[in-house]
């Protein structure tokens, strides 16, 4: 009898412990807003006019406007970091587990904001607002296409700065983001050292090295291989969906992990009745997964935006414009918590460790927490980000 | 004075220690020979007639014909494992550091043989002899193209078995090979348990799991994306060289390593005067490296052969035809030394460890030596294979 009661108490305790995850989701419906800059001059000196980007916010801006956390999105991502647009939405924003009352980015305390980048990929996603090659160039009345200026991660950050300024925000408690989002966080710390108090770049690094550049080239070339890409001139015609889907497939593999792939799909066939031994077109399940996922996503992506985004990541280097990497590191005043994923094969953890060392050597304050993840690059975007929860909370509380 | 003499002695000793590598290269010129099978029926029950494959040998077959080591080649490789065809050849075969008098595969003791696979990729390499989709089908007088039967790693092994039989060879001291070459070694041990005494599969595994299947799909799809591939019907016309080159680029990245890439290329530009910031087409050095290497290689490759080879690797499963993986493992009588590379992201070391465990559990004798390499998959093909030298020598001597 006592034993049973003990078990019941234990069960009740376990249920109580698991409640926060269920209870603390961000409840208010999320609204997409638009910000417009009459004109913007890129780091490379090119003029884009106007520039429009979308953004969404969670929680409330306090009177002194200094409780702001900025979440920057990854390569293929959008500003939909958390919450739901409608009660019927099946899934919330991608980092929802981190955002909400009592969560790491606590919406009872912080005003959390996320912004669609300049040149967001997902131009056909109705919730995305961005300016890029698919945008109508007012000078010609036609999409910019490949005449759109080359943009960099620094440009994304500078547009975000203007947006925040328009909201009267002059200080950021923290800038964070996964992958390309983390690159933006680092650029923020170097470009606006007096604005940013803390940064948490997840599965990210301070500059693209050859390995990352190689993959970016391959993601971009996959699109260019499609004859329908036509040198970037495809607007109003059939778009290079096969090229985009193929690029997505390669991207999926590089952000995925062998353990996850092997566990989920093993050597299973796509169709039980069709052995891959019997015909070239008979697929394994993992092939079908790649095809379906990639094709479904391709429909929302602008081909040229993908190519411009790959270029932006290739060009990512906080040293650019500041004389050198070392000079840029010296500018950083924000406290830094780098959060790589141990099994990431796109951006290896050593980039994070080296950056931490460089910041500390320059007199800054940086630390690293490696997520013990089997999920590869995805470990930081979705899979295992909550394994960093204790470190994130401690870093924000410091 | 004494100090100087000491230094001289030390230098002399160091030179002597490095001599073996220089002296023990395989000296005799290597000759490519051809083997023809009047007809061959694939594991899948399809007839190919005739089948011709090339092979080369190093060292001498002894009177009892039992001093044979078979080296199977990797996905993009050929039977040119060691030595030179002409004294003027700039580079020897890819595993030359392992083959020669006094080397691991000691040509003073062993008769080393390497065979072009069925469906070798490099149909336009004049030293390769193979039968595949680019071969003329005697029934039609035209290349087989995509009507060529699906072939598997097991088929490669069965053709090799026939070749060895024709040379009067009934026993193999050791079957080895890197990557797909190691897959053949494992298939040998399962298919011909009474023939094979030892196997040394390097950067390899006993079956393709989802992760490897995903990459094979992507390598093959890269070719199919090229409209010149035309469903495999391109013989006598312009061949899909862009598609092949693109596939090669992806392959290069998956077998490469971030440490090697970042160290060799960093953020260097391809052309000092052309900043990648200034134009879409201005490349980083790593991009130029990928483009040049891939394009140079594409000229020797048949597009359909690449697609068939990717399929062969996808289908690789020693369990196939033996009821199950477990049954196949039970068949193996050869001693096994698995040699994965610690930083391999194409075939992770865990596949080797799991196979070793399975063999030992089934009462066999298997061990693993993980090459402490920063060179990724290439660590086993070229970069760091000599780091396994002591373990390889001990295993062969046992």
């Amino acid at each position: 009898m006592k034993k049973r009661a003990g078990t019941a108490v234990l069960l009740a305790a376990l249920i109580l412990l698991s409640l926060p995850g269920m209870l603390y989701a961000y409840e208010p419906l999320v609204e997409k807003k638009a910000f417009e800059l009459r004109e913007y001059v890129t780091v490379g000196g090119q003029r884009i006019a106007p520039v429009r980007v979308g953004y969404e916010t969670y929680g409330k801006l306090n009177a002194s406007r200094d409780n702001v956390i900025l979440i920057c999105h990854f390569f293929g991502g959008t500003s939909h970091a958390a919450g739901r647009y409608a009660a019927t939405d099946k899934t919330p924003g991608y980092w929802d587990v981190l955002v909400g009352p009592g969560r790491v980015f606590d919406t009872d305390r912080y005003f959390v904001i996320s912004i669609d980048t300049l040149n967001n990929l997902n131009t056909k996603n109705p919730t995305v607002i961005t300016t890029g090659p698919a945008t109508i160039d007012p000078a010609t009345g036609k999409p910019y296409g490949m005449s759109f200026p080359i943009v960099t991660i620094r440009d994304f950050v500078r547009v975000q700065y203007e947006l925040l300024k328009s909201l009267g925000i002059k200080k950021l408690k923290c800038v964070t983001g996964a992958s390309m989002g983390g690159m933006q966080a680092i650029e923020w710390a170097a470009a606006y050292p007096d604005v940013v108090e803390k940064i948490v770049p997840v599965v990210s690094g301070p500059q693209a090295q050859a390995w990352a550049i190689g993959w970016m080239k391959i993601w971009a070339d996959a699109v260019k291989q499609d004859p329908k890409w036509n040198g970037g001139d495809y607007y109003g015609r059939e778009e290079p969906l096969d090229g985009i889907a193929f690029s997505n497939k390669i991207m999926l593999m590089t952000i995925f992990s062998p353990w996850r792939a092997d566990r989920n799909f093993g050597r299973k066939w796509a169709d039980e009745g069709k052995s891959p031994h019997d015909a070239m077109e008979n697929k394994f399940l993992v092939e079908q997964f790649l095809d379906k996922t990639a094709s479904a996503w391709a429909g929302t992506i602008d081909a040229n935006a993908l190519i411009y985004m790959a270029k932006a990541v290739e060009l990512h280097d906080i040293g650019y414009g500041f004389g050198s990497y070392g000079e840029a590191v010296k500018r950083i005043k924000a406290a830094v918590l780098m959060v790589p994923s141990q099994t990431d094969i796109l951006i290896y953890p050593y980039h994070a460790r080296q950056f931490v060392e460089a910041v500390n050597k320059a007199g800054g304050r940086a630390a690293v927490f490696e997520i013990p993840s089997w999920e590869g690059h995805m470990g930081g975007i979705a899979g295992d980000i909550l394994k960093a929860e204790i470190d994130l909370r401690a870093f924000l509380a410091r």
Side-chain angles (χ1 to χ4, degrees), chain A residues 314-351:
Chain A
E314 289 192 357
L315 295 175
H316 169 55
D317 177 8
I318 54 159
Y320 188 76
F322 297 127
S324 71
Y325 177 85
E327 288 306 315
V329 166
K330 272 188 220 160
R331 295 172 56 88
I332 295 174
K333 294 180 182 170
V336 178
L337 178 64
M338 296 297 286
V339 185
S341 161
Q342 278 178 350
T343 49
D344 191 345
I345 58 165
L346 183 58
I347 303 175
Y348 277 71
Y350 67 87
H351 293 292

Side-chain angles (χ1 to χ4, degrees), chain A residues 340-392:
Chain A
S341 161
Q342 278 178 350
T343 49
D344 191 345
I345 58 165
L346 183 58
I347 303 175
Y348 277 71
Y350 67 87
H351 293 292
R353 293 193 298 261
Q354 288 173 9
F355 178 60
V356 163
E357 194 177 67
V359 171
N360 288 331
K361 193 184 163 197
R365 181 157 69 90
V368 64
F369 172 73
E370 293 195 15
I371 307 175
S373 175
W374 300 106
E375 307 286 350
H377 194 65
M378 280 297 291
I381 297 171
D384 282 328
I385 186 63
L386 276 186
K387 290 189 177 169
E389 183 174 5
I390 291 169
D391 288 73
L392 293 175

Side-chain angles (χ1 to χ4, degrees), chain A residues 46-198:
Chain A
Q46 308 279 305
R47 189 173 161 272
I48 311 171
V51 159
R52 290 184 84 230
V53 292
Y55 67 102
E56 46 193 76
T57 66
Y58 328 95
K60 279 184 188 139
L61 188 59
N62 64 10
S64 47
R65 302 185 182 200
D66 61 1
N67 66 331
V68 183
I69 288 178
L70 171 63
I71 298 178
C72 305
H73 68 71
F74 52 93
F75 191 98
T78 75
S79 61
H80 194 36
R84 288 170 158 81
Y85 297 126
T88 50
D89 286 1
K90 276 183 194 152
T91 50
Y94 66 96
W95 255 13
D96 191 80
V97 292
L98 292 178
V99 180
R103 292 192 171 171
V104 170
F105 303 126
D106 185 347
T107 47
D108 284 343
R109 296 182 54 196
Y110 299 113
F111 177 66
V112 182
I113 180 165
S114 185
I115 307 171
D116 292 324
T117 62
L118 196 58
N119 188 50
N120 186 291
L121 254 56
N122 308 283
T123 58
K124 293 162 202 160
N125 175 336
T127 70
V128 168
I129 302 167
T130 189
T131 305
T135 304
I136 300 293
D137 177 358
T140 64
K142 290 177 188 166
Y144 284 101
M146 296 302 284
S147 78
F148 194 73
I150 287 176
V151 287
T152 62
I153 308 266
R154 181 80 49 80
D155 289 307
F156 303 170
V157 163
R158 284 167 43 166
V159 170
Q160 289 160 11
Y161 177 83
E162 296 300 327
L163 188 161
L164 294 171
K165 206 168 70 177
S166 78
L167 299 177
I169 295 165
K170 287 172 190 156
K171 293 276 179 192
L172 293 172
K173 279 282 172 212
C174 182
V175 184
T176 185
S179 194
M180 196 188 77
M183 296 176 187
Q184 292 166 68
I186 301 175
E187 291 278 8
W188 258 102
Y192 302 105
D194 295 317
V195 175
V196 186
E197 199 177 301
K198 292 173 184 178

Side-chain angles (χ1 to χ4, degrees), chain A residues 208 212-218 220 309-317:
Chain A
I213 294 170
W215 282 115
M216 289 309 115
K217 172 196 174 49
I218 280 169
M309 200 61 114
K311 182 78 168 180
V313 172
E314 289 192 357
L315 295 175
H316 169 55
D317 177 8

Side-chain angles (χ1 to χ4, degrees), chain A residues 249-261:
Chain A
K249 267 175 248 187
I250 305 172
M251 193 187 302
L252 280 168
M253 285 299 292
T254 44
I255 67 174
F256 208 29
S257 99
W259 297 277
R260 175 56 59 207

